[in-house]
Amino acid sequence: MRLPDTAHTLRPWRIHEIAPDFHLEDVWALPTPGGPEDFPRLVRLAANRDSADTPSSAARALVAVRRRLGAWFGWDATGSGVGSRVVTLRERLPADLAAAPPGPVFANRPFTSVYLTGTEWAAEVANRTVHAVVHLAWVPDGAGGHRGQMAVLVKPNGVLGRAYMKAIAPLRHLVVYPPLIRHFGQAWRATPPSGPA
């Protein structure tokens, strides 16, 4: 379920101090009910996901089209990512976060962990269109438990990046994120709390 921006902006997340120049695109509630100790399980699940695993054929087709366009136009070329076109957000971390391990390595996607706490995790990706952050958080669900929450923050790269984000907004909201959120829930239910995520 998509949430209002305030579900992210009114919470005291560390990402606010680290990426104040990024625009909040979306906030989503994840169907991942659990207890206060279950956040590491959510982080492992997210880091091990593969966008090609989504059960939605429309979302898979969009991912394939985006990869093809990226190859044609050089959007994902060497030199366009974190550490080359943009400086990693790890350079902005306060001392306490910089001294801690950043979080897991992504197995199947071009994201890089920025920082990890007991209730939030941020990972970044960049290409010629944007520098983006996926922020996962563990929030009280109002019924005595907790659930995951995902926010997407973006810093477009000039006119191309702004046009790209505007063009893909309807596709993200209607085709990409709803099956992604459902898939999160299915994977969460299929993974025992004590098992690997």
Side-chain angles (χ1 to χ4, degrees):
M1 171 175 65
R2 193 167 176 204
L3 299 172
D5 288 357
T6 53
H8 176 78
T9 59
L10 293 182
R11 292 194 178 268
W13 303 127
R14 303 295 300 273
I15 194 67
H16 301 318
E17 66 189 276
I18 295 158
D21 50 337
F22 282 62
H23 171 73
L24 177 62
E25 288 288 327
D26 301 297
V27 185
W28 297 85
L30 300 178
T32 55
E37 72 288 345
D38 285 328
F39 186 57
R41 177 180 166 212
L42 178 64
V43 170
R44 288 191 308 272
L45 179 67
N48 290 320
R49 276 198 72 256
D50 187 336
S51 53
D53 287 343
T54 179
S56 166
S57 57
R60 284 195 310 274
L62 280 175
V63 168
V65 167
R66 167 56 184 84
R67 287 180 179 158
R68 177 73 51 105
L69 291 173
W72 285 346
F73 295 113
W75 293 343
D76 307 312
T78 302
S80 67
V82 173
S84 49
R85 186 182 73 76
V86 298
V87 175
T88 176
L89 289 177
R90 284 199 53 81
E91 295 291 325
R92 301 181 181 188
L93 295 182
D96 64 319
L97 292 179
V105 173
F106 281 80
N108 303 303
R109 294 184 293 156
F111 285 84
T112 303
S113 288
V114 177
Y115 70 90
L116 174 65
T117 72
T119 57
E120 63 179 304
W121 175 46
E124 65 184 331
V125 65
N127 54 45
R128 293 205 191 282
T129 60
V130 297
H131 185 184
V133 175
V134 172
H135 180 266
L136 284 187
W138 198 237
V139 298
D141 63 8
H146 289 72
R147 63 159 173 78
Q149 181 171 292
M150 181 180 74
V152 178
L153 300 97
V154 174
K155 187 174 185 180
N157 185 20
V159 174
L160 170 64
R162 288 190 295 276
Y164 174 80
M165 290 306 298
K166 188 170 187 166
I168 68 168
L171 298 172
R172 286 186 306 109
H173 296 148
L174 298 173
V175 179
V176 176
Y177 283 121
L180 170 77
I181 303 304
R182 285 192 301 274
H183 189 239
F184 250 111
Q186 292 164 355
W188 184 262
R189 290 187 300 274
T191 306
S194 59

